[in-house]
PDB file of all heavy atoms in Angstrom:
ATOM      1  N   GLY R 126     -22.272  12.995 -14.224  1.00 92.00           N
ATOM      2  CA  GLY R 126     -22.245  14.385 -14.692  1.00 92.00           C
ATOM      3  C   GLY R 126     -21.129  15.181 -14.057  1.00 92.00           C
ATOM      4  O   GLY R 126     -19.955  14.876 -14.217  1.00 92.00           O
ATOM      5  N   ASP R 127     -21.503  16.183 -13.259  1.00 92.00           N
ATOM      6  CA  ASP R 127     -20.514  17.071 -12.649  1.00 92.00           C
ATOM      7  C   ASP R 127     -20.081  16.629 -11.244  1.00 92.00           C
ATOM      8  O   ASP R 127     -19.504  17.405 -10.492  1.00 92.00           O
ATOM      9  CB  ASP R 127     -21.039  18.503 -12.614  1.00 92.00           C
ATOM     10  CG  ASP R 127     -22.315  18.654 -11.796  1.00 92.00           C
ATOM     11  OD1 ASP R 127     -22.788  17.664 -11.200  1.00 92.00           O
ATOM     12  OD2 ASP R 127     -22.855  19.776 -11.760  1.00 92.00           O
ATOM     13  N   CYS R 128     -20.358  15.399 -10.882  1.00 96.00           N
ATOM     14  CA  CYS R 128     -19.920  14.797  -9.601  1.00 96.00           C
ATOM     15  C   CYS R 128     -20.517  15.482  -8.379  1.00 96.00           C
ATOM     16  O   CYS R 128     -19.857  15.575  -7.337  1.00 96.00           O
ATOM     17  CB  CYS R 128     -18.397  14.766  -9.501  1.00 96.00           C
ATOM     18  SG  CYS R 128     -17.604  13.760 -10.751  1.00 96.00           S
ATOM     19  N   LYS R 129     -21.729  15.940  -8.485  1.00 97.00           N
ATOM     20  CA  LYS R 129     -22.356  16.622  -7.346  1.00 97.00           C
ATOM     21  C   LYS R 129     -22.414  15.717  -6.113  1.00 97.00           C
ATOM     22  O   LYS R 129     -22.187  16.172  -4.991  1.00 97.00           O
ATOM     23  CB  LYS R 129     -23.754  17.106  -7.715  1.00 97.00           C
ATOM     24  CG  LYS R 129     -24.327  18.073  -6.684  1.00 97.00           C
ATOM     25  CD  LYS R 129     -25.588  18.737  -7.143  1.00 97.00           C
ATOM     26  CE  LYS R 129     -25.468  19.609  -8.328  1.00 97.00           C
ATOM     27  NZ  LYS R 129     -24.682  20.808  -8.271  1.00 97.00           N
ATOM     28  N   ILE R 130     -22.684  14.431  -6.317  1.00 98.00           N
ATOM     29  CA  ILE R 130     -22.747  13.515  -5.167  1.00 98.00           C
ATOM     30  C   ILE R 130     -21.364  13.374  -4.536  1.00 98.00           C
ATOM     31  O   ILE R 130     -21.210  13.549  -3.325  1.00 98.00           O
ATOM     32  CB  ILE R 130     -23.341  12.156  -5.577  1.00 98.00           C
ATOM     33  CG1 ILE R 130     -24.824  12.323  -5.937  1.00 98.00           C
ATOM     34  CG2 ILE R 130     -23.178  11.129  -4.456  1.00 98.00           C
ATOM     35  CD1 ILE R 130     -25.488  11.082  -6.515  1.00 98.00           C
ATOM     36  N   ALA R 131     -20.352  13.074  -5.338  1.00 98.00           N
ATOM     37  CA  ALA R 131     -18.993  12.896  -4.806  1.00 98.00           C
ATOM     38  C   ALA R 131     -18.499  14.143  -4.093  1.00 98.00           C
ATOM     39  O   ALA R 131     -17.770  14.041  -3.098  1.00 98.00           O
ATOM     40  CB  ALA R 131     -18.036  12.525  -5.938  1.00 98.00           C
ATOM     41  N   ASN R 132     -18.899  15.310  -4.577  1.00 98.00           N
ATOM     42  CA  ASN R 132     -18.453  16.563  -3.967  1.00 98.00           C
ATOM     43  C   ASN R 132     -19.295  16.990  -2.770  1.00 98.00           C
ATOM     44  O   ASN R 132     -18.985  18.000  -2.141  1.00 98.00           O
ATOM     45  CB  ASN R 132     -18.457  17.681  -5.015  1.00 98.00           C
ATOM     46  CG  ASN R 132     -17.343  17.522  -6.019  1.00 98.00           C
ATOM     47  OD1 ASN R 132     -16.220  17.203  -5.668  1.00 98.00           O
ATOM     48  ND2 ASN R 132     -17.662  17.735  -7.295  1.00 98.00           N
ATOM     49  N   SER R 133     -20.344  16.223  -2.448  1.00 98.00           N
ATOM     50  CA  SER R 133     -21.273  16.655  -1.404  1.00 98.00           C
ATOM     51  C   SER R 133     -21.347  15.734  -0.194  1.00 98.00           C
ATOM     52  O   SER R 133     -22.005  16.077   0.785  1.00 98.00           O
ATOM     53  CB  SER R 133     -22.686  16.769  -1.994  1.00 98.00           C
ATOM     54  OG  SER R 133     -22.712  17.701  -3.043  1.00 98.00           O
ATOM     55  N   ILE R 134     -20.712  14.567  -0.265  1.00 98.00           N
ATOM     56  CA  ILE R 134     -20.801  13.626   0.853  1.00 98.00           C
ATOM     57  C   ILE R 134     -19.405  13.163   1.257  1.00 98.00           C
ATOM     58  O   ILE R 134     -18.447  13.329   0.517  1.00 98.00           O
ATOM     59  CB  ILE R 134     -21.712  12.417   0.518  1.00 98.00           C
ATOM     60  CG1 ILE R 134     -21.154  11.589  -0.642  1.00 98.00           C
ATOM     61  CG2 ILE R 134     -23.133  12.885   0.216  1.00 98.00           C
ATOM     62  CD1 ILE R 134     -21.932  10.307  -0.933  1.00 98.00           C
ATOM     63  N   ARG R 135     -19.324  12.567   2.445  1.00 97.00           N
ATOM     64  CA  ARG R 135     -18.039  12.095   2.982  1.00 97.00           C
ATOM     65  C   ARG R 135     -17.665  10.711   2.471  1.00 97.00           C
ATOM     66  O   ARG R 135     -16.518  10.309   2.553  1.00 97.00           O
ATOM     67  CB  ARG R 135     -18.105  12.048   4.518  1.00 97.00           C
ATOM     68  CG  ARG R 135     -18.325  13.410   5.153  1.00 97.00           C
ATOM     69  CD  ARG R 135     -18.583  13.281   6.639  1.00 97.00           C
ATOM     70  NE  ARG R 135     -19.856  12.561   6.824  1.00 97.00           N
ATOM     71  CZ  ARG R 135     -20.158  11.807   7.855  1.00 97.00           C
ATOM     72  NH1 ARG R 135     -19.306  11.656   8.830  1.00 97.00           N
ATOM     73  NH2 ARG R 135     -21.307  11.186   7.944  1.00 97.00           N
ATOM     74  N   ASN R 136     -18.618   9.975   1.963  1.00 98.00           N
ATOM     75  CA  ASN R 136     -18.411   8.594   1.534  1.00 98.00           C
ATOM     76  C   ASN R 136     -17.439   8.497   0.371  1.00 98.00           C
ATOM     77  O   ASN R 136     -17.259   9.456  -0.375  1.00 98.00           O
ATOM     78  CB  ASN R 136     -19.745   7.969   1.094  1.00 98.00           C
ATOM     79  CG  ASN R 136     -20.813   8.110   2.129  1.00 98.00           C
ATOM     80  OD1 ASN R 136     -21.227   9.214   2.459  1.00 98.00           O
ATOM     81  ND2 ASN R 136     -21.294   7.004   2.648  1.00 98.00           N
ATOM     82  N   LYS R 137     -16.883   7.311   0.197  1.00 98.00           N
ATOM     83  CA  LYS R 137     -16.121   6.998  -1.014  1.00 98.00           C
ATOM     84  C   LYS R 137     -17.147   6.881  -2.141  1.00 98.00           C
ATOM     85  O   LYS R 137     -18.123   6.141  -2.030  1.00 98.00           O
ATOM     86  CB  LYS R 137     -15.365   5.675  -0.827  1.00 98.00           C
ATOM     87  CG  LYS R 137     -14.806   5.087  -2.091  1.00 98.00           C
ATOM     88  CD  LYS R 137     -13.667   5.902  -2.638  1.00 98.00           C
ATOM     89  CE  LYS R 137     -13.079   5.240  -3.869  1.00 98.00           C
ATOM     90  NZ  LYS R 137     -12.296   6.142  -4.661  1.00 98.00           N
ATOM     91  N   VAL R 138     -16.952   7.648  -3.215  1.00 98.00           N
ATOM     92  CA  VAL R 138     -17.874   7.625  -4.350  1.00 98.00           C
ATOM     93  C   VAL R 138     -17.092   7.314  -5.621  1.00 98.00           C
ATOM     94  O   VAL R 138     -16.108   7.996  -5.934  1.00 98.00           O
ATOM     95  CB  VAL R 138     -18.620   8.978  -4.515  1.00 98.00           C
ATOM     96  CG1 VAL R 138     -19.554   8.936  -5.717  1.00 98.00           C
ATOM     97  CG2 VAL R 138     -19.400   9.330  -3.249  1.00 98.00           C
ATOM     98  N   HIS R 139     -17.533   6.304  -6.329  1.00 98.00           N
ATOM     99  CA  HIS R 139     -17.010   5.988  -7.655  1.00 98.00           C
ATOM    100  C   HIS R 139     -17.928   6.694  -8.649  1.00 98.00           C
ATOM    101  O   HIS R 139     -19.117   6.374  -8.732  1.00 98.00           O
ATOM    102  CB  HIS R 139     -17.025   4.475  -7.913  1.00 98.00           C
ATOM    103  CG  HIS R 139     -16.178   3.701  -6.971  1.00 98.00           C
ATOM    104  ND1 HIS R 139     -14.810   3.609  -7.106  1.00 98.00           N
ATOM    105  CD2 HIS R 139     -16.505   2.984  -5.870  1.00 98.00           C
ATOM    106  CE1 HIS R 139     -14.333   2.853  -6.130  1.00 98.00           C
ATOM    107  NE2 HIS R 139     -15.341   2.465  -5.365  1.00 98.00           N
ATOM    108  N   SER R 140     -17.397   7.651  -9.374  1.00 98.00           N
ATOM    109  CA  SER R 140     -18.188   8.478 -10.291  1.00 98.00           C
ATOM    110  C   SER R 140     -17.916   8.040 -11.732  1.00 98.00           C
ATOM    111  O   SER R 140     -16.773   8.095 -12.182  1.00 98.00           O
ATOM    112  CB  SER R 140     -17.818   9.951 -10.116  1.00 98.00           C
ATOM    113  OG  SER R 140     -18.062  10.364  -8.784  1.00 98.00           O
ATOM    114  N   PHE R 141     -18.982   7.635 -12.431  1.00 98.00           N
ATOM    115  CA  PHE R 141     -18.847   7.141 -13.798  1.00 98.00           C
ATOM    116  C   PHE R 141     -19.671   7.971 -14.763  1.00 98.00           C
ATOM    117  O   PHE R 141     -20.804   8.342 -14.468  1.00 98.00           O
ATOM    118  CB  PHE R 141     -19.322   5.682 -13.897  1.00 98.00           C
ATOM    119  CG  PHE R 141     -18.587   4.754 -12.981  1.00 98.00           C
ATOM    120  CD1 PHE R 141     -19.222   4.208 -11.884  1.00 98.00           C
ATOM    121  CD2 PHE R 141     -17.263   4.441 -13.208  1.00 98.00           C
ATOM    122  CE1 PHE R 141     -18.545   3.351 -11.028  1.00 98.00           C
ATOM    123  CE2 PHE R 141     -16.569   3.589 -12.359  1.00 98.00           C
ATOM    124  CZ  PHE R 141     -17.215   3.035 -11.263  1.00 98.00           C
ATOM    125  N   ASP R 142     -19.093   8.243 -15.933  1.00 96.00           N
ATOM    126  CA  ASP R 142     -19.845   8.896 -17.010  1.00 96.00           C
ATOM    127  C   ASP R 142     -19.127   8.648 -18.326  1.00 96.00           C
ATOM    128  O   ASP R 142     -18.017   8.117 -18.348  1.00 96.00           O
ATOM    129  CB  ASP R 142     -20.025  10.394 -16.749  1.00 96.00           C
ATOM    130  CG  ASP R 142     -21.394  10.888 -17.233  1.00 96.00           C
ATOM    131  OD1 ASP R 142     -21.854  10.418 -18.303  1.00 96.00           O
ATOM    132  OD2 ASP R 142     -21.995  11.733 -16.556  1.00 96.00           O
ATOM    133  N   LEU R 143     -19.769   9.071 -19.397  1.00 93.00           N
ATOM    134  CA  LEU R 143     -19.223   8.853 -20.742  1.00 93.00           C
ATOM    135  C   LEU R 143     -18.092   9.815 -21.083  1.00 93.00           C
ATOM    136  O   LEU R 143     -17.274   9.543 -21.959  1.00 93.00           O
ATOM    137  CB  LEU R 143     -20.335   8.974 -21.780  1.00 93.00           C
ATOM    138  CG  LEU R 143     -21.439   7.915 -21.673  1.00 93.00           C
ATOM    139  CD1 LEU R 143     -22.590   8.255 -22.596  1.00 93.00           C
ATOM    140  CD2 LEU R 143     -20.885   6.536 -21.967  1.00 93.00           C
ATOM    141  N   VAL R 144     -18.059  10.959 -20.395  1.00 91.00           N
ATOM    142  CA  VAL R 144     -17.032  11.981 -20.583  1.00 91.00           C
ATOM    143  C   VAL R 144     -16.725  12.554 -19.204  1.00 91.00           C
ATOM    144  O   VAL R 144     -17.613  12.655 -18.356  1.00 91.00           O
ATOM    145  CB  VAL R 144     -17.517  13.097 -21.540  1.00 91.00           C
ATOM    146  CG1 VAL R 144     -16.509  14.229 -21.637  1.00 91.00           C
ATOM    147  CG2 VAL R 144     -17.810  12.536 -22.928  1.00 91.00           C
ATOM    148  N   ALA R 145     -15.493  12.934 -18.976  1.00 93.00           N
ATOM    149  CA  ALA R 145     -15.108  13.478 -17.671  1.00 93.00           C
ATOM    150  C   ALA R 145     -15.289  14.983 -17.641  1.00 93.00           C
ATOM    151  O   ALA R 145     -14.578  15.718 -18.310  1.00 93.00           O
ATOM    152  CB  ALA R 145     -13.658  13.133 -17.367  1.00 93.00           C
ATOM    153  N   LEU R 146     -16.272  15.444 -16.846  1.00 90.00           N
ATOM    154  CA  LEU R 146     -16.419  16.869 -16.565  1.00 90.00           C
ATOM    155  C   LEU R 146     -15.604  17.257 -15.340  1.00 90.00           C
ATOM    156  O   LEU R 146     -15.514  18.420 -15.007  1.00 90.00           O
ATOM    157  CB  LEU R 146     -17.891  17.219 -16.315  1.00 90.00           C
ATOM    158  CG  LEU R 146     -18.840  17.142 -17.507  1.00 90.00           C
ATOM    159  CD1 LEU R 146     -20.259  17.488 -17.073  1.00 90.00           C
ATOM    160  CD2 LEU R 146     -18.390  18.059 -18.620  1.00 90.00           C
ATOM    161  N   SER R 147     -15.046  16.252 -14.676  1.00 94.00           N
ATOM    162  CA  SER R 147     -14.282  16.455 -13.449  1.00 94.00           C
ATOM    163  C   SER R 147     -13.193  15.391 -13.395  1.00 94.00           C
ATOM    164  O   SER R 147     -13.368  14.290 -13.928  1.00 94.00           O
ATOM    165  CB  SER R 147     -15.222  16.294 -12.246  1.00 94.00           C
ATOM    166  OG  SER R 147     -14.506  15.992 -11.072  1.00 94.00           O
ATOM    167  N   PRO R 148     -12.085  15.686 -12.716  1.00 96.00           N
ATOM    168  CA  PRO R 148     -11.041  14.661 -12.547  1.00 96.00           C
ATOM    169  C   PRO R 148     -11.527  13.455 -11.729  1.00 96.00           C
ATOM    170  O   PRO R 148     -10.901  12.404 -11.747  1.00 96.00           O
ATOM    171  CB  PRO R 148      -9.925  15.395 -11.806  1.00 96.00           C
ATOM    172  CG  PRO R 148     -10.224  16.838 -11.910  1.00 96.00           C
ATOM    173  CD  PRO R 148     -11.686  16.986 -12.184  1.00 96.00           C
ATOM    174  N   LEU R 149     -12.653  13.594 -11.034  1.00 97.00           N
ATOM    175  CA  LEU R 149     -13.190  12.494 -10.233  1.00 97.00           C
ATOM    176  C   LEU R 149     -13.880  11.430 -11.083  1.00 97.00           C
ATOM    177  O   LEU R 149     -14.168  10.334 -10.608  1.00 97.00           O
ATOM    178  CB  LEU R 149     -14.198  13.035  -9.212  1.00 97.00           C
ATOM    179  CG  LEU R 149     -13.674  14.031  -8.183  1.00 97.00           C
ATOM    180  CD1 LEU R 149     -14.816  14.558  -7.317  1.00 97.00           C
ATOM    181  CD2 LEU R 149     -12.593  13.390  -7.330  1.00 97.00           C
ATOM    182  N   VAL R 150     -14.168  11.741 -12.339  1.00 97.00           N
ATOM    183  CA  VAL R 150     -14.942  10.848 -13.208  1.00 97.00           C
ATOM    184  C   VAL R 150     -14.062   9.769 -13.818  1.00 97.00           C
ATOM    185  O   VAL R 150     -12.982  10.048 -14.337  1.00 97.00           O
ATOM    186  CB  VAL R 150     -15.629  11.645 -14.337  1.00 97.00           C
ATOM    187  CG1 VAL R 150     -16.352  10.711 -15.307  1.00 97.00           C
ATOM    188  CG2 VAL R 150     -16.602  12.667 -13.763  1.00 97.00           C
ATOM    189  N   THR R 151     -14.567   8.550 -13.758  1.00 97.00           N
ATOM    190  CA  THR R 151     -13.988   7.449 -14.526  1.00 97.00           C
ATOM    191  C   THR R 151     -14.833   7.332 -15.789  1.00 97.00           C
ATOM    192  O   THR R 151     -16.041   7.107 -15.713  1.00 97.00           O
ATOM    193  CB  THR R 151     -14.036   6.125 -13.730  1.00 97.00           C
ATOM    194  OG1 THR R 151     -13.274   6.284 -12.538  1.00 97.00           O
ATOM    195  CG2 THR R 151     -13.509   4.971 -14.557  1.00 97.00           C
ATOM    196  N   VAL R 152     -14.200   7.517 -16.930  1.00 95.00           N
ATOM    197  CA  VAL R 152     -14.904   7.458 -18.210  1.00 95.00           C
ATOM    198  C   VAL R 152     -15.100   5.999 -18.590  1.00 95.00           C
ATOM    199  O   VAL R 152     -14.138   5.228 -18.640  1.00 95.00           O
ATOM    200  CB  VAL R 152     -14.120   8.202 -19.312  1.00 95.00           C
ATOM    201  CG1 VAL R 152     -14.792   8.032 -20.666  1.00 95.00           C
ATOM    202  CG2 VAL R 152     -13.982   9.678 -18.950  1.00 95.00           C
ATOM    203  N   CYS R 153     -16.356   5.615 -18.813  1.00 95.00           N
ATOM    204  CA  CYS R 153     -16.658   4.243 -19.207  1.00 95.00           C
ATOM    205  C   CYS R 153     -18.105   4.129 -19.655  1.00 95.00           C
ATOM    206  O   CYS R 153     -18.906   5.045 -19.470  1.00 95.00           O
ATOM    207  CB  CYS R 153     -16.391   3.269 -18.053  1.00 95.00           C
ATOM    208  SG  CYS R 153     -17.449   3.521 -16.616  1.00 95.00           S
ATOM    209  N   ASP R 154     -18.418   2.997 -20.213  1.00 94.00           N
ATOM    210  CA  ASP R 154     -19.774   2.610 -20.572  1.00 94.00           C
ATOM    211  C   ASP R 154     -20.457   2.164 -19.272  1.00 94.00           C
ATOM    212  O   ASP R 154     -19.881   1.368 -18.517  1.00 94.00           O
ATOM    213  CB  ASP R 154     -19.670   1.469 -21.589  1.00 94.00           C
ATOM    214  CG  ASP R 154     -20.994   0.882 -22.005  1.00 94.00           C
ATOM    215  OD1 ASP R 154     -22.038   1.208 -21.416  1.00 94.00           O
ATOM    216  OD2 ASP R 154     -20.978   0.076 -22.951  1.00 94.00           O
ATOM    217  N   MET R 155     -21.659   2.634 -19.010  1.00 94.00           N
ATOM    218  CA  MET R 155     -22.347   2.284 -17.764  1.00 94.00           C
ATOM    219  C   MET R 155     -22.664   0.789 -17.672  1.00 94.00           C
ATOM    220  O   MET R 155     -22.958   0.282 -16.593  1.00 94.00           O
ATOM    221  CB  MET R 155     -23.647   3.079 -17.606  1.00 94.00           C
ATOM    222  CG  MET R 155     -23.485   4.585 -17.508  1.00 94.00           C
ATOM    223  SD  MET R 155     -22.255   5.157 -16.347  1.00 94.00           S
ATOM    224  CE  MET R 155     -20.995   5.703 -17.469  1.00 94.00           C
ATOM    225  N   ALA R 156     -22.599   0.083 -18.786  1.00 95.00           N
ATOM    226  CA  ALA R 156     -22.846  -1.362 -18.790  1.00 95.00           C
ATOM    227  C   ALA R 156     -21.579  -2.151 -18.457  1.00 95.00           C
ATOM    228  O   ALA R 156     -21.629  -3.376 -18.327  1.00 95.00           O
ATOM    229  CB  ALA R 156     -23.400  -1.801 -20.145  1.00 95.00           C
ATOM    230  N   LYS R 157     -20.457  -1.441 -18.294  1.00 96.00           N
ATOM    231  CA  LYS R 157     -19.179  -2.114 -18.012  1.00 96.00           C
ATOM    232  C   LYS R 157     -18.305  -1.206 -17.155  1.00 96.00           C
ATOM    233  O   LYS R 157     -17.307  -0.668 -17.624  1.00 96.00           O
ATOM    234  CB  LYS R 157     -18.452  -2.443 -19.317  1.00 96.00           C
ATOM    235  CG  LYS R 157     -19.162  -3.455 -20.173  1.00 96.00           C
ATOM    236  CD  LYS R 157     -18.361  -3.763 -21.421  1.00 96.00           C
ATOM    237  CE  LYS R 157     -19.043  -4.821 -22.219  1.00 96.00           C
ATOM    238  NZ  LYS R 157     -19.786  -4.314 -23.341  1.00 96.00           N
ATOM    239  N   VAL R 158     -18.683  -1.047 -15.894  1.00 98.00           N
ATOM    240  CA  VAL R 158     -17.886  -0.187 -15.024  1.00 98.00           C
ATOM    241  C   VAL R 158     -16.732  -0.987 -14.422  1.00 98.00           C
ATOM    242  O   VAL R 158     -16.859  -2.185 -14.173  1.00 98.00           O
ATOM    243  CB  VAL R 158     -18.746   0.473 -13.909  1.00 98.00           C
ATOM    244  CG1 VAL R 158     -19.817   1.374 -14.507  1.00 98.00           C
ATOM    245  CG2 VAL R 158     -19.343  -0.546 -12.981  1.00 98.00           C
TER     246      VAL R 158
END
């Protein structure tokens, strides 16, 4: 979604969704990341 996890923790986060609401999102099918 809106990358709340990636924006809230220090860890490296790979953010996936069907549409990018943020530049942090990699657009893809969740069955093929």
